[in-house]
């Protein structure tokens, strides 16, 4: 069974709009990673969250991890076409040992 | 300088052939991984090696055999290729074992394998 659920599966926004992508786990997370994948390319590391309530920002992207460490959100402010791609959350869970389990991904398209 | 590199980037081959994908990291990391991304973009771990030692083997057919000649390299050899092996294969590395999620995994650009 899929341990990490991402929503929405796909998203089309107008340039300049804000958006949020969610990642939910059925188990407590020991580390939550956000990656971006441009179409047909590799994964680019965005941010890693570890502590409950932690929030990190890089340029116009902010990621948060809830206090229970079971849900994370990725928020993009004033989206640009360069933000388009597939956003993946990856998590290390105690039950999974040393591997990362990935969510199903969210495809983001930004209309100019 | 490329941190995690994979070759080839594209691989098209016939069913039944044997092929290898190479991965190298110049980050000085101890741990390397192979992931498979299927047509639905679902990314799933296959193997991990720590300092040349196999740590994770995720129910992958025996036709897949990873080999780590040194901790900077982790190659993936696939025997008797099948149609279902078509996917993008990503190599990744982290400083140490992911453990409780403290070490970031850095990914290579991927190898798109197409089996005809």
């Amino acid at each position: 069974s899929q341990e990490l659920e991402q929503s929405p599966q796909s998203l089309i926004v107008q340039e300049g709009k804000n958006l949020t992508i969610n990642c939910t786990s059925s188990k407590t997370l020991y580390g939550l990673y956000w990656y971006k994948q441009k179409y047909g390319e590799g994964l680019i590391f965005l941010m890693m969250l570890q502590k409950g309530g932690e929030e990190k920002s890089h340029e116009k992207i902010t990621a948060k991890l809830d206090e229970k460490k079971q849900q994370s959100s990725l928020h993009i402010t004033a989206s640009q076409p360069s933000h388009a791609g597939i956003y993946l959350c990856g998590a290390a869970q105690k039950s999974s040992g040393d591997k990362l389990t990935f969510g199903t991904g969210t495809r983001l398209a930004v209309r100019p | 300088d490329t941190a995690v590199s994979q070759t080839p980037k594209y691989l098209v081959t016939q069913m039944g052939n044997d092929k290898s994908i190479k991965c190298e990291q110049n980050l000085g990391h101890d741990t390397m991984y192979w992931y498979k991304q299927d047509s639905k973009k679902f990314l799933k771990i296959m193997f991990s090696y720590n300092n040349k030692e196999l740590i994770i083997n995720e129910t992958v057919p025996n036709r897949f055999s990873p080999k780590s000649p040194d901790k900077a390299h982790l190659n993936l050899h696939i025997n008797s290729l099948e149609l279902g092996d078509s996917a993008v294969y990503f190599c990744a590395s982290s400083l140490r074992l992911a453990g409780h999620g403290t070490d970031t995994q850095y990914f290579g650009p991927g190898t798109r394998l197409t089996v005809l």
Side-chain angles (χ1 to χ4, degrees):
Chain A
S1 63
Q2 178 56 33
E3 295 179 353
L4 276 183
E5 294 288 340
Q6 273 185 248
S7 62
Q9 287 189 6
S10 64
L11 194 53
I12 303 173
V13 299
Q14 197 69 35
E15 183 177 358
K17 295 293 185 186
N18 302 337
L19 64 107
T20 300
I21 299 169
N22 294 302
C23 177
T24 303
S25 171
S26 55
K27 301 173 185 177
T28 301
L29 302 170
Y30 282 78
L32 190 286
Y33 300 79
W34 282 101
Y35 288 87
K36 178 186 173 184
Q37 183 178 20
K38 287 190 174 181
Y39 297 110
E41 296 183 17
L43 277 71
I44 301 165
F45 170 71
L46 296 175
M47 277 173 274
M48 190 265 277
L49 304 165
Q50 235 185 311
K51 299 175 186 174
E54 188 174 6
E55 179 175 323
K56 286 186 178 177
S57 292
H58 176 68
E59 297 180 344
K60 295 185 178 179
I61 301 176
T62 301
K64 299 179 186 178
L65 182 62
D66 74 339
E67 289 290 345
K68 290 184 179 179
K69 293 171 46 173
Q70 285 189 276
Q71 186 168 17
S72 178
S73 61
L74 187 81
H75 185 78
I76 299 177
T77 304
S79 58
Q80 299 168 354
S82 61
H83 287 128
I86 299 170
Y87 289 82
L88 289 157
C89 65
Q93 298 165 340
K94 188 175 183 181
S95 62
S96 64
D98 301 312
K99 65 184 179 185
L100 282 187
T101 302
F102 281 89
T104 48
T106 296
R107 285 180 183 269
L108 171 64
V110 180
R111 283 197 291 227
Chain B
D1 285 344
T2 304
V4 183
S5 59
Q6 294 178 229
T7 54
K9 191 169 182 181
Y10 299 97
L11 185 53
V12 181
T13 188
Q14 299 284 337
M15 268 176 54
N17 285 349
D18 303 338
K19 289 293 178 187
S20 292
I21 307 171
K22 295 185 177 181
C23 178
E24 177 181 1
Q25 53 93 4
N26 62 7
L27 298 166
H29 288 171
D30 281 348
T31 310
M32 295 184 74
Y33 311 79
W34 276 110
Y35 287 84
K36 179 180 179 181
Q37 187 177 42
D38 61 24
S39 58
K40 295 182 180 178
K41 301 298 182 186
F42 184 49
L43 194 63
K44 192 170 183 181
I45 188 148
M46 300 172 69
F47 302 102
S48 80
Y49 268 72
N50 184 62
N51 228 342
K52 304 193 295 177
E53 181 185 347
L54 179 66
I55 301 297
I56 294 171
N57 182 342
E58 277 292 302
T59 320
V60 177
N62 291 339
R63 298 182 295 104
F64 290 80
S65 52
K67 283 191 171 51
S68 182
D70 54 63
K71 70 176 192 178
H73 295 85
L74 181 62
N75 304 323
L76 184 65
H77 188 76
I78 315 170
N79 289 328
S80 303
L81 278 156
E82 299 178 358
L83 293 176
D85 297 333
S86 295
V88 181
Y89 292 84
F90 286 99
C91 175
S93 74
S94 63
L95 184 59
R96 298 162 298 186
L97 288 171
H100 294 297
T102 56
D103 284 331
T104 300
Q105 291 184 25
Y106 293 92
F107 283 76
T111 296
R112 184 174 293 276
L113 171 65
T114 303
V115 182
L116 302 173

